[in-house]
Amino acid sequence: MSSPKYHSRLFINNEWVDSISGATFPTVNPATEEIICQVQEGREADVDKAVKAAREALSGPWGTMSAYSRGQLMYKLADLMEKNKDELGRIESVDNGKPLAACMAYDIGSAIKVIRYYAGWADKVQGKVIPVEGPYHCFTRHEPVGVVGAVIPWNFPLMLMSWKLGPALAAGCTMVIKPAEQTPLTALHLGQLVIEAGFPPGVINIVPGFGAIAGNAISHHMDIDKISFTGSTRVGKLILEASAKSNLKKVTLELGGKSPNIVFGDCDFEKAVEGAWQAIFVNMGQNCCAGSRLFVQADIYDRFVKALTERTGKMKIGDPFTEVDQGPLVSKDQFDRVLGYIAAGKNEGAKVACGGARHGDKGYYVAPTLFFDVQDNMTIAREEIFGPVLSVLKFETEEEVIKRANSTEFGLAGGVWTQNMSRAHRVANAIKAGTIWMNDYNVVQPNAPFGGFKQTGFGKDLGEYAIQEYLSIKTVYAKY
């Protein structure tokens, strides 16, 4: 298998350019702890350059292009992603650490589906005629909000980039994208496909760099009209503050989670065990909607913990380019963070059923860890860990578990496992979260919205709802 080609320069105005400062930063293979390549570091001046290109494209060929033609370019981009999916998957796996099989089966394929879905929406964004009182023809225009700044996380780099890119392009916006500094390479590779698809210069600009510099410049920029951010609640609050201190740019935030996954005694036991395993260990637990708080009803608690421990013990951990269930965590910082939470769980009295330590002696591998006899006030039950660490909590009644499940600052997702569908609907209705799964977990489709409540943020990715985040609504009265 040949090594993929890595793009490491900034992508601005359909050109590959060095950063104005000349600064670079390393991107590291988390499986080997070795540097993959040096990447040009975008800073304030580079963001200015990218915003200028995006603004000119908005008033130029892209802004005057028909909606149908925009959609055709998006279809071409999706086709090129499909053609290059093997290379995209290899780059994502090297840069992020997730198993190649998972990249190919989910991440890359999902990104392609999202771009195709929104390509179909491009010529279906339309206003309304409103029957107002008086001699007026009143209608609304749904116009692109303008230049969009998108700040992308490192856990699903290309897929979550597509969640921003798709609806923004369908709405007619232009973009300045900052991929995560830990995982910039698939975003940059997409720049080459943007050129090949025939997008006008300046429509899509990609500026890798650090959040505190490039991300901060995007957040405060006076000529960016909207920010779409996926990441931590702490940074989301900084972005919202930056909007208030700059030009009151529109903001969409998809932030942290500590999602409850509730298993009742009448569940389909085997399916619930497998579902609970998938809910936490997909992507090494680096998943904003991970079912990291597993509530199991008392009458099956011990049996469930035993079965889940056995299932977790069968996981294969190792080189992402082999047949494994789990690769390394994304970075040394994340590795240390997760091990710190594991230590806190032990220190606060939670019991370890399996894992609880580093796996191997090279790479950022953490053994899949299952804690039981966890109490609600423990750190591992309250804070987002973002790693392969599961807290299993015991409950007695439906009323009790609803109250405990909602006792969190987050509200992204949740799951409920029961064969009593009346109960399933009651619990789903009562959980304060943006997505609830009944007898399943982690199902995400391009045409259904995704986003959270409370300090998980506001606004939606995916589906028709996401397009509204990238539009400005103009009302027009015509007297006759």
Side-chain angles (χ1 to χ4, degrees):
M1 182 184 295
S2 61
S3 298
K5 177 183 177 181
Y6 302 122
H7 290 280
S8 59
R9 303 171 78 193
L10 313 185
F11 182 72
I12 298 175
N13 216 30
N14 278 17
E15 296 179 348
W16 297 105
V17 298
D18 290 338
S19 62
I20 292 171
S21 70
T24 64
F25 65 94
T27 185
V28 174
N29 181 337
T32 64
E33 303 182 45
E34 296 171 354
I35 294 173
I36 302 167
C37 63
Q38 294 287 334
V39 177
Q40 292 289 315
E41 183 197 335
R43 294 183 177 177
E44 292 91 343
D46 304 293
V47 170
D48 285 341
K49 185 177 179 181
V51 173
K52 184 175 184 291
R55 182 62 63 187
E56 290 175 354
L58 195 64
S59 58
W62 182 252
T64 58
M65 186 182 293
S66 72
Y68 173 81
S69 296
R70 288 202 313 269
Q72 292 305 300
L73 285 178
M74 294 176 68
Y75 279 124
K76 287 181 184 178
L77 179 59
D79 290 344
L80 286 166
M81 292 168 69
E82 184 87 50
K83 181 180 177 181
N84 291 271
K85 65 181 180 181
D86 290 343
E87 188 164 26
L88 287 167
R90 292 199 301 274
I91 294 171
E92 190 98 316
S93 185
V94 166
D95 207 18
N96 174 277
K98 66 181 66 189
L100 178 61
C103 281
M104 299 306 300
Y106 185 65
D107 296 52
I108 308 303
S110 176
I112 294 166
K113 286 180 180 179
V114 168
I115 299 300
R116 285 199 175 122
Y117 171 77
Y118 283 110
W121 265 107
D123 60 357
K124 299 170 186 68
V125 176
Q126 55 196 354
K128 299 179 179 181
V129 174
I130 303 171
V132 298
E133 185 178 353
Y136 301 101
H137 174 60
C138 180
F139 60 94
T140 58
R141 287 174 48 85
H142 291 191
E143 300 178 349
V145 71
V147 176
V148 173
V151 182
I152 312 300
W154 47 255
N155 57 330
F156 294 97
L158 187 64
M159 186 183 81
L160 294 183
M161 179 174 166
S162 76
W163 288 18
K164 320 296 186 186
L165 192 66
L169 295 180
C173 299
T174 57
M175 302 195 76
V176 176
I177 299 169
K178 193 204 85 66
E181 57 265 31
Q182 298 88 347
T183 55
L185 296 181
T186 41
L188 288 170
H189 196 82
L190 192 73
Q192 184 60 44
L193 305 186
V194 167
I195 296 173
E196 293 177 26
F199 279 82
V203 175
I204 300 169
N205 306 275
I206 305 168
V207 183
F210 294 97
I213 301 173
N216 187 63
I218 289 171
S219 301
H220 284 87
H221 206 286
M222 293 298 292
D223 204 26
I224 288 180
D225 303 295
K226 177 194 164 56
I227 295 284
S228 182
F229 171 73
T230 298
S232 72
T233 297
R234 180 186 67 82
V235 175
K237 290 179 178 181
L238 292 175
I239 288 173
L240 198 58
E241 181 181 351
S243 171
K245 288 182 175 180
S246 56
N247 60 343
L248 285 178
K249 55 180 64 67
K250 193 172 183 178
V251 177
T252 299
L253 301 173
E254 195 266 275
L255 308 175
K258 193 68 178 176
S259 299
N261 195 14
I262 302 168
V263 179
F264 285 94
D266 68 343
C267 67
D268 183 317
F269 189 87
E270 298 301 326
K271 288 182 179 178
V273 169
E274 185 68 18
W277 177 81
Q278 289 279 356
I280 183 61
F281 294 120
V282 162
N283 203 40
M284 293 73 73
Q286 299 169 135
N287 184 2
C288 53
C289 61
S292 55
R293 286 188 298 152
L294 179 63
F295 291 93
V296 180
Q297 200 156 28
D299 59 344
I300 62 167
Y301 184 87
D302 292 340
R303 185 163 68 100
F304 200 93
V305 169
K306 182 175 183 294
L308 187 55
T309 302
E310 291 173 356
R311 174 66 182 91
T312 304
K314 295 176 182 178
M315 292 177 67
K316 296 179 181 178
I317 309 164
D319 182 353
F321 283 82
T322 62
E323 294 184 5
V324 294
D325 298 301
Q326 181 177 302
L329 300 185
V330 73
S331 67
K332 179 66 161 56
D333 285 347
Q334 189 62 16
F335 173 79
D336 290 340
R337 172 186 168 87
V338 171
L339 288 179
Y341 275 111
I342 290 173
K346 294 175 180 177
N347 291 337
E348 292 177 12
K351 297 177 182 177
V352 179
C354 62
R358 177 176 189 163
H359 177 86
D361 57 9
K362 186 177 183 181
Y364 306 132
Y365 294 92
V366 173
T369 300
L370 194 158
F371 281 104
F372 66 104
D373 286 355
V374 178
Q375 305 303 313
D376 291 350
N377 62 350
M378 291 181 177
T379 302
I380 58 172
R382 292 184 293 103
E383 297 184 14
E384 184 177 42
I385 299 172
F386 228 63
V389 180
L390 177 62
S391 297
V392 190
L393 303 99
K394 185 185 297 185
F395 76 93
E396 298 285 348
T397 68
E398 179 182 326
E399 181 180 15
E400 169 208 338
V401 78
I402 289 170
K403 183 177 180 180
R404 292 170 65 192
N406 283 330
S407 182
T408 173
E409 66 191 67
F410 303 115
L412 184 54
V416 53
W417 299 81
T418 175
Q419 296 187 74
N420 181 333
M421 292 311 294
S422 294
R423 169 187 281 159
H425 281 280
R426 283 196 308 271
V427 174
N429 291 344
I431 299 298
K432 295 179 174 64
T435 298
I436 303 294
W437 295 285
M438 298 179 186
N439 297 317
D440 210 334
Y441 208 92
N442 280 331
V443 179
V444 179
Q445 303 275 350
N447 52 344
F450 185 85
F453 299 172
K454 299 190 282 187
Q455 292 195 53
T456 292
F458 46 80
K460 296 295 180 183
D461 289 317
L462 300 179
E464 180 182 359
Y465 293 87
I467 298 177
Q468 305 304 317
E469 306 289 346
Y470 297 88
L471 295 171
S472 294
I473 311 302
K474 178 183 290 181
T475 302
V476 179
Y477 286 89
K479 190 171 185 178
Y480 56 83

